[in-house]
Amino acid sequence: MLVSTDKLLQVLRKVRQLREEYRAYVLGGDTNMVSIEDLQWCIQQMYDLEIIKTQVVFTSTFTRGLMERYEKKVIIRVKHDQADDHKRFTATKEMCHPVVDEKEDWSIDGVGRIQDLLIEFEVTNGEAPHQATQSEVLAEIAAIEVLYPYECREADLHRLAKGETTLVKIATYHRIPVTVVSRALADQYHQLITGLWGQI
């Protein structure tokens, strides 16, 4: 999926601000094992929002969570029958929307957004994705960068190469899905993000 480099840089700058706020709030704790509740508090303070998270029962193949945005409130609904690490990642990704989205990224067309995502995962036509769809990808990248900080990954790659750790151990430590760790450490993603962090 193609995303705007300028947008990615904006997202990483916002992630850096959020992580700095989180570090200041947590004081002395391990900021690489992110508490979703502390993260929620930081986002609420930084963006003057009320965030309400709930677990709900719904049937879906691709959707793990939903977000409703209002002027000063965000309601996040997380699918209840997921593993805890997926719930954490889903809640974080949805909380990242008010952090990374600009007004032009807001969309009420949830079904259209999901259809766009499915089409773009199947077909690469060389064009930048629809703005609302790009917002989903950017929120997911922000969630990866918040829950599995970039500064941890180089050491993890070396430890993996030496056989001193596994993807499962890394995922368990950060309390995120193994697929998220795998994606963050994949060559293409890691090289892209390394280059962008280097510009910030």
mmCIF file of all heavy atoms in Angstrom, residues 33-57:
data_model
loop_
_atom_site.group_PDB
_atom_site.id
_atom_site.type_symbol
_atom_site.label_atom_id
_atom_site.label_comp_id
_atom_site.label_asym_id
_atom_site.label_seq_id
_atom_site.Cartn_x
_atom_site.Cartn_y
_atom_site.Cartn_z
ATOM 1 N N MET A 33 6.738 -0.986 27.751
ATOM 2 C CA MET A 33 5.578 -1.850 27.986
ATOM 3 C C MET A 33 4.406 -0.909 28.262
ATOM 4 O O MET A 33 4.105 -0.574 29.402
ATOM 5 C CB MET A 33 5.826 -2.799 29.159
ATOM 6 C CG MET A 33 6.870 -3.841 28.816
ATOM 7 S SD MET A 33 7.181 -5.127 30.054
ATOM 8 C CE MET A 33 6.064 -4.876 31.365
ATOM 9 N N VAL A 34 3.763 -0.472 27.208
ATOM 10 C CA VAL A 34 2.780 0.609 27.272
ATOM 11 C C VAL A 34 1.485 0.161 27.942
ATOM 12 O O VAL A 34 0.913 -0.872 27.594
ATOM 13 C CB VAL A 34 2.494 1.141 25.848
ATOM 14 C CG1 VAL A 34 1.399 2.184 25.853
ATOM 15 C CG2 VAL A 34 3.773 1.699 25.228
ATOM 16 N N SER A 35 1.032 0.953 28.891
ATOM 17 C CA SER A 35 -0.278 0.770 29.511
ATOM 18 C C SER A 35 -1.313 1.492 28.645
ATOM 19 O O SER A 35 -1.171 2.690 28.371
ATOM 20 C CB SER A 35 -0.283 1.359 30.923
ATOM 21 O OG SER A 35 -1.601 1.662 31.332
ATOM 22 N N ILE A 36 -2.336 0.790 28.222
ATOM 23 C CA ILE A 36 -3.365 1.386 27.366
ATOM 24 C C ILE A 36 -4.113 2.482 28.123
ATOM 25 O O ILE A 36 -4.462 3.515 27.558
ATOM 26 C CB ILE A 36 -4.347 0.310 26.836
ATOM 27 C CG1 ILE A 36 -3.579 -0.753 26.041
ATOM 28 C CG2 ILE A 36 -5.438 0.927 25.990
ATOM 29 C CD1 ILE A 36 -2.768 -0.221 24.892
ATOM 30 N N GLU A 37 -4.335 2.280 29.412
ATOM 31 C CA GLU A 37 -5.046 3.286 30.200
ATOM 32 C C GLU A 37 -4.215 4.567 30.333
ATOM 33 O O GLU A 37 -4.747 5.671 30.225
ATOM 34 C CB GLU A 37 -5.420 2.730 31.583
ATOM 35 C CG GLU A 37 -6.546 1.719 31.555
ATOM 36 C CD GLU A 37 -6.172 0.392 30.895
ATOM 37 O OE1 GLU A 37 -4.982 -0.011 30.983
ATOM 38 O OE2 GLU A 37 -7.039 -0.238 30.277
ATOM 39 N N ASP A 38 -2.914 4.417 30.582
ATOM 40 C CA ASP A 38 -2.042 5.600 30.660
ATOM 41 C C ASP A 38 -1.959 6.295 29.304
ATOM 42 O O ASP A 38 -1.950 7.527 29.225
ATOM 43 C CB ASP A 38 -0.638 5.218 31.141
ATOM 44 C CG ASP A 38 -0.610 4.809 32.612
ATOM 45 O OD1 ASP A 38 -1.577 5.127 33.337
ATOM 46 O OD2 ASP A 38 0.372 4.168 33.026
ATOM 47 N N LEU A 39 -1.884 5.508 28.244
ATOM 48 C CA LEU A 39 -1.853 6.078 26.902
ATOM 49 C C LEU A 39 -3.147 6.848 26.622
ATOM 50 O O LEU A 39 -3.117 7.956 26.091
ATOM 51 C CB LEU A 39 -1.669 4.959 25.871
ATOM 52 C CG LEU A 39 -1.565 5.400 24.415
ATOM 53 C CD1 LEU A 39 -0.299 6.206 24.174
ATOM 54 C CD2 LEU A 39 -1.602 4.175 23.496
ATOM 55 N N GLN A 40 -4.267 6.267 27.014
ATOM 56 C CA GLN A 40 -5.560 6.937 26.845
ATOM 57 C C GLN A 40 -5.560 8.274 27.578
ATOM 58 O O GLN A 40 -5.990 9.293 27.033
ATOM 59 C CB GLN A 40 -6.679 6.034 27.368
ATOM 60 C CG GLN A 40 -8.050 6.668 27.310
ATOM 61 C CD GLN A 40 -9.144 5.741 27.832
ATOM 62 O OE1 GLN A 40 -8.971 4.530 27.877
ATOM 63 N NE2 GLN A 40 -10.263 6.318 28.226
ATOM 64 N N TRP A 41 -5.069 8.281 28.821
ATOM 65 C CA TRP A 41 -5.029 9.519 29.598
ATOM 66 C C TRP A 41 -4.191 10.569 28.873
ATOM 67 O O TRP A 41 -4.586 11.732 28.781
ATOM 68 C CB TRP A 41 -4.457 9.245 30.990
ATOM 69 C CG TRP A 41 -4.472 10.466 31.855
ATOM 70 C CD1 TRP A 41 -5.487 10.878 32.679
ATOM 71 C CD2 TRP A 41 -3.447 11.466 31.945
ATOM 72 N NE1 TRP A 41 -5.139 12.063 33.289
ATOM 73 C CE2 TRP A 41 -3.900 12.445 32.844
ATOM 74 C CE3 TRP A 41 -2.207 11.619 31.358
ATOM 75 C CZ2 TRP A 41 -3.142 13.569 33.181
ATOM 76 C CZ3 TRP A 41 -1.443 12.738 31.673
ATOM 77 C CH2 TRP A 41 -1.913 13.691 32.578
ATOM 78 N N CYS A 42 -3.031 10.165 28.352
ATOM 79 C CA CYS A 42 -2.149 11.118 27.652
ATOM 80 C C CYS A 42 -2.827 11.708 26.426
ATOM 81 O O CYS A 42 -2.764 12.924 26.195
ATOM 82 C CB CYS A 42 -0.843 10.430 27.246
ATOM 83 S SG CYS A 42 0.241 10.062 28.629
ATOM 84 N N ILE A 43 -3.477 10.861 25.641
ATOM 85 C CA ILE A 43 -4.153 11.353 24.430
ATOM 86 C C ILE A 43 -5.281 12.302 24.809
ATOM 87 O O ILE A 43 -5.461 13.354 24.190
ATOM 88 C CB ILE A 43 -4.665 10.179 23.572
ATOM 89 C CG1 ILE A 43 -3.471 9.391 23.004
ATOM 90 C CG2 ILE A 43 -5.559 10.677 22.437
ATOM 91 C CD1 ILE A 43 -3.842 8.079 22.338
ATOM 92 N N GLN A 44 -6.023 11.958 25.857
ATOM 93 C CA GLN A 44 -7.112 12.836 26.308
ATOM 94 C C GLN A 44 -6.567 14.204 26.718
ATOM 95 O O GLN A 44 -7.149 15.236 26.377
ATOM 96 C CB GLN A 44 -7.866 12.191 27.483
ATOM 97 C CG GLN A 44 -8.697 11.003 27.079
ATOM 98 C CD GLN A 44 -9.426 10.367 28.261
ATOM 99 O OE1 GLN A 44 -10.584 10.047 28.127
ATOM 100 N NE2 GLN A 44 -8.769 10.173 29.391
ATOM 101 N N GLN A 45 -5.450 14.210 27.448
ATOM 102 C CA GLN A 45 -4.868 15.472 27.896
ATOM 103 C C GLN A 45 -4.298 16.284 26.738
ATOM 104 O O GLN A 45 -4.480 17.493 26.671
ATOM 105 C CB GLN A 45 -3.756 15.205 28.936
ATOM 106 C CG GLN A 45 -4.241 14.562 30.205
ATOM 107 C CD GLN A 45 -5.369 15.339 30.861
ATOM 108 O OE1 GLN A 45 -5.241 16.519 31.135
ATOM 109 N NE2 GLN A 45 -6.496 14.678 31.088
ATOM 110 N N MET A 46 -3.606 15.615 25.826
ATOM 111 C CA MET A 46 -2.958 16.322 24.727
ATOM 112 C C MET A 46 -3.955 16.912 23.742
ATOM 113 O O MET A 46 -3.722 17.980 23.180
ATOM 114 C CB MET A 46 -2.026 15.364 23.967
ATOM 115 C CG MET A 46 -0.777 14.977 24.715
ATOM 116 S SD MET A 46 0.218 13.760 23.813
ATOM 117 C CE MET A 46 0.880 14.791 22.480
ATOM 118 N N TYR A 47 -5.074 16.208 23.520
ATOM 119 C CA TYR A 47 -6.015 16.622 22.482
ATOM 120 C C TYR A 47 -7.355 17.099 23.039
ATOM 121 O O TYR A 47 -8.288 17.311 22.272
ATOM 122 C CB TYR A 47 -6.207 15.479 21.472
ATOM 123 C CG TYR A 47 -4.930 15.218 20.710
ATOM 124 C CD1 TYR A 47 -3.998 14.298 21.170
ATOM 125 C CD2 TYR A 47 -4.620 15.957 19.580
ATOM 126 C CE1 TYR A 47 -2.799 14.092 20.504
ATOM 127 C CE2 TYR A 47 -3.425 15.760 18.902
ATOM 128 C CZ TYR A 47 -2.521 14.825 19.367
ATOM 129 O OH TYR A 47 -1.338 14.640 18.702
ATOM 130 N N ASP A 48 -7.427 17.278 24.366
ATOM 131 C CA ASP A 48 -8.639 17.782 25.006
ATOM 132 C C ASP A 48 -9.860 16.979 24.559
ATOM 133 O O ASP A 48 -10.839 17.521 24.052
ATOM 134 C CB ASP A 48 -8.823 19.271 24.696
ATOM 135 C CG ASP A 48 -9.904 19.908 25.547
ATOM 136 O OD1 ASP A 48 -10.163 19.383 26.652
ATOM 137 O OD2 ASP A 48 -10.503 20.899 25.093
ATOM 138 N N LEU A 49 -9.766 15.660 24.759
ATOM 139 C CA LEU A 49 -10.809 14.734 24.336
ATOM 140 C C LEU A 49 -11.243 13.866 25.496
ATOM 141 O O LEU A 49 -10.472 13.613 26.417
ATOM 142 C CB LEU A 49 -10.263 13.771 23.270
ATOM 143 C CG LEU A 49 -10.079 14.230 21.855
ATOM 144 C CD1 LEU A 49 -9.391 13.130 21.062
ATOM 145 C CD2 LEU A 49 -11.400 14.597 21.220
ATOM 146 N N GLU A 50 -12.438 13.369 25.403
ATOM 147 C CA GLU A 50 -12.872 12.280 26.264
ATOM 148 C C GLU A 50 -12.860 11.036 25.385
ATOM 149 O O GLU A 50 -13.420 11.034 24.292
ATOM 150 C CB GLU A 50 -14.281 12.532 26.800
ATOM 151 C CG GLU A 50 -14.813 11.372 27.605
ATOM 152 C CD GLU A 50 -16.279 11.521 27.987
ATOM 153 O OE1 GLU A 50 -16.947 12.430 27.444
ATOM 154 O OE2 GLU A 50 -16.752 10.715 28.798
ATOM 155 N N ILE A 51 -12.201 9.979 25.848
ATOM 156 C CA ILE A 51 -12.167 8.721 25.108
ATOM 157 C C ILE A 51 -12.900 7.669 25.917
ATOM 158 O O ILE A 51 -12.586 7.432 27.090
ATOM 159 C CB ILE A 51 -10.726 8.259 24.824
ATOM 160 C CG1 ILE A 51 -9.994 9.287 23.966
ATOM 161 C CG2 ILE A 51 -10.727 6.889 24.133
ATOM 162 C CD1 ILE A 51 -8.523 8.975 23.721
ATOM 163 N N ILE A 52 -13.878 7.057 25.293
ATOM 164 C CA ILE A 52 -14.646 5.993 25.919
ATOM 165 C C ILE A 52 -14.360 4.708 25.149
ATOM 166 O O ILE A 52 -14.583 4.651 23.934
ATOM 167 C CB ILE A 52 -16.154 6.303 25.897
ATOM 168 C CG1 ILE A 52 -16.427 7.605 26.641
ATOM 169 C CG2 ILE A 52 -16.957 5.143 26.475
ATOM 170 C CD1 ILE A 52 -17.819 8.162 26.421
ATOM 171 N N LYS A 53 -13.844 3.684 25.846
ATOM 172 C CA LYS A 53 -13.558 2.402 25.220
ATOM 173 C C LYS A 53 -14.531 1.363 25.760
ATOM 174 O O LYS A 53 -14.748 1.294 26.968
ATOM 175 C CB LYS A 53 -12.127 1.932 25.523
ATOM 176 C CG LYS A 53 -11.037 2.813 25.009
ATOM 177 C CD LYS A 53 -9.642 2.195 25.176
ATOM 178 C CE LYS A 53 -9.339 1.484 26.441
ATOM 179 N NZ LYS A 53 -9.139 2.283 27.637
ATOM 180 N N THR A 54 -15.075 0.554 24.863
ATOM 181 C CA THR A 54 -15.939 -0.544 25.281
ATOM 182 C C THR A 54 -15.642 -1.765 24.429
ATOM 183 O O THR A 54 -15.167 -1.648 23.298
ATOM 184 C CB THR A 54 -17.435 -0.200 25.132
ATOM 185 O OG1 THR A 54 -17.719 0.076 23.761
ATOM 186 C CG2 THR A 54 -17.842 0.982 25.977
ATOM 187 N N GLN A 55 -15.931 -2.928 24.991
ATOM 188 C CA GLN A 55 -15.881 -4.161 24.215
ATOM 189 C C GLN A 55 -17.308 -4.473 23.779
ATOM 190 O O GLN A 55 -18.243 -4.358 24.575
ATOM 191 C CB GLN A 55 -15.339 -5.310 25.059
ATOM 192 C CG GLN A 55 -13.881 -5.145 25.408
ATOM 193 C CD GLN A 55 -13.339 -6.360 26.113
ATOM 194 O OE1 GLN A 55 -13.429 -7.470 25.592
ATOM 195 N NE2 GLN A 55 -12.763 -6.157 27.299
ATOM 196 N N VAL A 56 -17.460 -4.846 22.535
ATOM 197 C CA VAL A 56 -18.795 -5.106 22.013
ATOM 198 C C VAL A 56 -18.810 -6.418 21.234
ATOM 199 O O VAL A 56 -17.783 -6.908 20.773
ATOM 200 C CB VAL A 56 -19.280 -3.957 21.092
ATOM 201 C CG1 VAL A 56 -19.478 -2.680 21.871
ATOM 202 C CG2 VAL A 56 -18.325 -3.733 19.941
ATOM 203 N N VAL A 57 -20.001 -6.952 21.095
ATOM 204 C CA VAL A 57 -20.209 -8.169 20.321
ATOM 205 C C VAL A 57 -20.632 -7.758 18.923
ATOM 206 O O VAL A 57 -21.620 -7.056 18.754
ATOM 207 C CB VAL A 57 -21.310 -9.051 20.966
ATOM 208 C CG1 VAL A 57 -21.568 -10.288 20.118
ATOM 209 C CG2 VAL A 57 -20.920 -9.422 22.386
#
